[in-house]
Amino acid sequence: GSTLCTKIPIPCDAVIAHRGASYQAPESTRPAYLLARDLGVDYLELDLQRTKDGVLVAIHDNTLNRNTNVADVFPDRADAAVSSFTLDELKQLDAGSWFNASYPDRARDSYSGLEILTLDEVIDIAESGDNHPGLYIETKVPEQFPGIEQDLRDKLEARGWLGKAAKTRPAAEQGAVNVGDTPGRVVMQTFSKASLETLEETMPEVPRVLLLWLGKGGIEAAPAKPQRDDESKADYYARQQVASPEAYRSWLDFAKDHGAIGVGPSAIQTEHDGQFSSQFSYMELAEPWMVGMAHDDGMLVHLYTVDEPADFERYQQRGVDGFFTNRAEQLLEFHGHP
Ligand code: G3P
Ligand code: CA
């Protein structure tokens, strides 16, 4: 990583458990967050949404079909938005069996019947145990949840999490010195420029990161090109979409103008088991010049979503400041954590 973490109150080489330890356990569920916490990650990552009756919950997709049995329990509402369900209804869903069916090699009987979690429940997990990770919270589809930033602020305040210092791994493990007792136990992230503005107004003291992506609504991309017969899928994805320096510059400027401490670009993934491990894996938004441009502006670079040691190595060489990862165990091992 860069030396920016000595100036910005965020752990160096941040280990951010994407939806928990979501390679080993169903994403955003209790075992996924417990595993990540007990591994010693810096942050538990979660995507924030709000139920019909106003409860903050940790769910990634805007619908429930991919990773719950909503089609069995509420057959007419399989494609309905999360916001149309009450907490009581969400709690009736099984958010773990899909994982056992999709990943038989990682399946466990205890995963079937897992519940969707509220933000309160994720905070409970972070507060228990010995490691006390922070929370790295994304406002998801914020345009569907007006006022969610204020709701979050109220909740964090009620739970005593505003202004709480980040726990950091010992400096020796991070390869750099940390600034210590400063705010940063909660970091906010969003793809939405509007939500970044609202977060700046609503919780100015909480560090914010603007997530970067290519395509409609994100950074302007050059048109896709056809795959050549002689190139791998990885090479094809790597060259098919390119951000212009001007477009990248304008997103960095927006982030900086709204007090963000950094950006969260997408990474190119090495193929794993014949498949890319993220739907965003074809977006390279951390080329060396991009990381350099962010660092020259004093902005941290936290990269999503990176799971493979070859990718940790490549991006570490470029000086990125942390990774969102589904495979927290592998990343901690990469950083020399026992
Ligand atoms: O929050 C970083 C990364 O999680 C963004 O992508 O779709 O997994 O929320 P997504
Ligand atoms: Ca996210």
Side-chain angles (χ1 to χ4, degrees):
S2 71
T3 56
L4 284 172
C5 61
T6 61
K7 305 185 188 106
I8 297 175
I10 296 292
C12 303
D13 295 331
V15 176
I16 308 158
H18 184 244
R19 311 180 201 170
S22 57
Y23 179 84
Q24 284 171 272
E27 64 183 60
S28 314
T29 63
R30 187 176 303 279
Y33 286 121
L34 287 173
L35 274 167
R37 180 200 68 185
D38 293 342
L39 284 166
V41 304
D42 297 308
Y43 293 101
L44 306 178
E45 195 262 353
L46 67 100
D47 304 288
L48 192 72
Q49 300 195 57
R50 191 172 58 199
T51 65
K52 188 177 178 183
D53 48 340
V55 181
L56 298 175
V57 287
I59 303 177
H60 177 268
D61 296 10
N62 194 220
T63 57
L64 298 154
N65 217 2
R66 178 177 59 89
N67 55 358
T68 77
N69 60 342
V70 64
D72 298 333
V73 183
F74 303 106
D76 303 335
R77 300 165 68 193
D79 299 316
V82 168
S83 58
S84 68
F85 290 81
T86 64
L87 181 64
D88 182 59
E89 288 170 335
L90 290 181
K91 284 288 187 183
Q92 294 173 42
L93 301 177
D94 170 351
S97 290
W98 72 275
F99 183 92
N100 288 348
S102 299
Y103 307 109
D105 53 321
R106 285 170 253 154
R108 291 189 186 196
D109 290 344
S110 59
Y111 291 164
S112 62
L114 287 173
E115 288 181 5
I116 283 171
L117 296 179
T118 64
L119 174 62
D120 263 323
E121 290 169 323
V122 181
I123 292 175
D124 290 342
I125 290 169
E127 286 183 345
S128 54
D130 297 330
N131 289 329
H132 302 291
L135 295 178
Y136 207 124
I137 304 176
E138 179 177 354
T139 48
K140 209 61 167 175
V141 283
E143 61 281 4
Q144 288 186 18
F145 300 106
I148 198 167
E149 294 87 356
Q150 184 64 47
D151 291 351
L152 176 61
R153 184 188 172 91
D154 294 345
K155 172 60 67 184
L156 292 173
E157 200 151 35
R159 295 293 307 248
W161 271 65
L162 278 188
K164 214 172 204 179
K167 175 221 71 150
T168 59
R169 283 173 290 120
E173 285 171 15
Q174 303 181 48
V177 179
N178 249 97
V179 283
D181 192 21
T182 43
R185 187 145 181 215
V186 181
V187 180
M188 294 304 305
Q189 43 158 341
T190 183
F191 285 107
S192 161
K193 287 181 171 178
S195 194
L196 190 74
E197 290 177 315
T198 309
L199 289 167
E200 183 185 18
E201 288 158 19
T202 314
M203 41 176 100
E205 73 274 55
V206 176
R208 298 174 292 286
V209 162
L210 182 63
L211 300 170
L212 306 181
W213 60 296
L214 268 174
K216 202 175 169 196
I219 293 173
E220 165 200 330
K225 300 162 191 142
Q227 185 174 7
R228 293 194 302 256
D229 289 345
D230 63 343
E231 75 184 335
S232 69
K233 192 162 67 172
D235 288 345
Y236 164 60
Y237 282 138
R239 75 176 177 86
Q240 80 159 338
Q241 291 194 304
V242 180
S244 71
E246 296 74 24
Y248 206 82
R249 172 83 268 149
S250 76
W251 275 66
L252 283 178
D253 285 346
F254 184 87
K256 208 165 51 164
D257 289 348
H258 292 280
I261 58 159
V263 287
S266 62
I268 289 275
Q269 302 269 347
T270 299
E271 279 188 85
H272 176 68
D273 297 340
Q275 287 193 325
F276 278 83
S277 52
S278 161
Q279 59 178 314
F280 296 113
S281 58
Y282 56 88
M283 295 180 193
E284 172 59 279
L285 288 174
E287 290 197 29
W289 67 263
M290 297 168 170
V291 177
M293 194 183 266
H295 283 165
D296 287 348
D297 276 7
M299 306 280 271
L300 293 170
V301 177
H302 287 167
L303 209 52
Y304 72 91
T305 304
V306 185
D307 288 349
E308 297 299 317
D311 298 326
F312 300 148
E313 181 62 39
R314 185 172 70 258
Y315 287 111
Q316 188 76 6
Q317 298 271 337
R318 296 182 192 177
V320 306
D321 304 281
F323 295 104
F324 296 86
T325 184
N326 301 310
R327 304 190 70 168
E329 193 162 13
Q330 280 206 145
L331 179 53
L332 286 162
E333 205 173 290
F334 174 79
H335 286 314
H337 192 278

